Amino acid sequence: MTWHAEVRVMLKPSVNDPQGLSIRGGLHALGFDGVEAVRAGKLIQVRLEAASREAAERAVDEMCARLLANPVIEQYAFTLTEALVAPATR
Amino acid sequence: MTWHAEVRVMLKPSVNDPQGLSIRGGLHALGFDGVEAVRAGKLIQVRLEAASREAAERAVDEMCARLLANPVIEQYAFTLTEALVAPATR
């Protein structure tokens, strides 16, 4: 079975986010005065083969812990959906 | 009113994604052989003041078009939720 995982990786709330601060500065400079705070993170879409939802969840969770996120400063969450029709191009 | 916008910025499907390819290579090297494809994008959380949902939507859409995404190679989407209780620290 083919699965689509969508992984969200954000800096932990206690960690300084210079990219977010820089974006907020840019938005203020463009006149968006209503912007109060900005946090920047990563969105990673993974298509994978796995025999079951449980196997896919285990695999994605391990990918996050080992490569996609830095557990010291980042937190992650993901959603998993089954791809009902396999894409034509692999 | 305070709003939370969550902006997702991804490269258009037709655009080559070297960061995604690199992540896929890393996952394969770690033994995640089931991984078929990876796309990498940005997740940007914005807290803003706006008088109404319509005003907030307009503002965030304009932020995306002008700063957060590069419309030539990226596509974006966002969700907007009202912050019922204003955070203590601004």
Side-chain angles (χ1 to χ4, degrees), chain B residues 10-85:
Chain B
M10 299 297 291
L11 287 166
K12 291 180 182 176
S14 58
V15 176
N16 206 19
D17 178 4
Q19 192 187 356
L21 291 175
S22 173
I23 293 171
R24 190 183 63 170
L27 291 172
H28 284 172
L30 286 175
F32 295 106
D33 300 321
V35 172
E36 295 175 351
V38 179
R39 302 284 289 178
K42 289 176 284 184
L43 187 68
I44 303 166
Q45 297 173 336
V46 181
R47 193 174 78 224
L48 70 158
E49 276 289 326
S52 66
R53 173 172 288 274
E54 289 69 33
E57 274 183 8
R58 262 199 313 277
V60 174
D61 194 60
E62 200 185 331
M63 289 177 208
C64 291
R66 292 182 65 190
L67 185 77
L68 303 182
N70 175 350
V72 177
I73 57 168
E74 290 173 329
Q75 59 195 13
Y76 63 84
F78 61 86
T79 59
L80 200 62
T81 51
E82 188 178 349
L84 294 179
V85 178

Side-chain angles (χ1 to χ4, degrees), chain A residues 6 8 10 23 27 30 34-39 41 43-49 63 66 68 90, chain B residues 6 8 10 23 27 30 34-39 41 43-49 63 66 68 90:
Chain A
E6 188 163 280
R8 305 148 47 95
M10 299 295 293
I23 294 171
L27 290 172
L30 287 173
V35 172
E36 295 177 349
V38 178
R39 301 285 289 179
L43 187 67
I44 303 166
Q45 297 172 338
V46 180
R47 192 174 79 226
L48 72 157
E49 275 291 326
M63 290 178 209
R66 292 182 64 190
L68 303 180
R90 296 210 164 182
Chain B
E6 188 162 278
R8 305 149 47 98
M10 299 297 291
I23 293 171
L27 291 172
L30 286 175
V35 172
E36 295 175 351
V38 179
R39 302 284 289 178
L43 187 68
I44 303 166
Q45 297 173 336
V46 181
R47 193 174 78 224
L48 70 158
E49 276 289 326
M63 289 177 208
R66 292 182 65 190
L68 303 182
R90 298 209 162 183

Side-chain angles (χ1 to χ4, degrees), chain A residues 56-85:
Chain A
E57 275 183 9
R58 261 199 315 276
V60 174
D61 194 60
E62 200 185 332
M63 290 178 209
C64 291
R66 292 182 64 190
L67 185 78
L68 303 180
N70 176 350
V72 178
I73 57 169
E74 290 173 328
Q75 58 195 16
Y76 63 84
F78 61 87
T79 59
L80 199 61
T81 52
E82 190 179 348
L84 294 180
V85 179

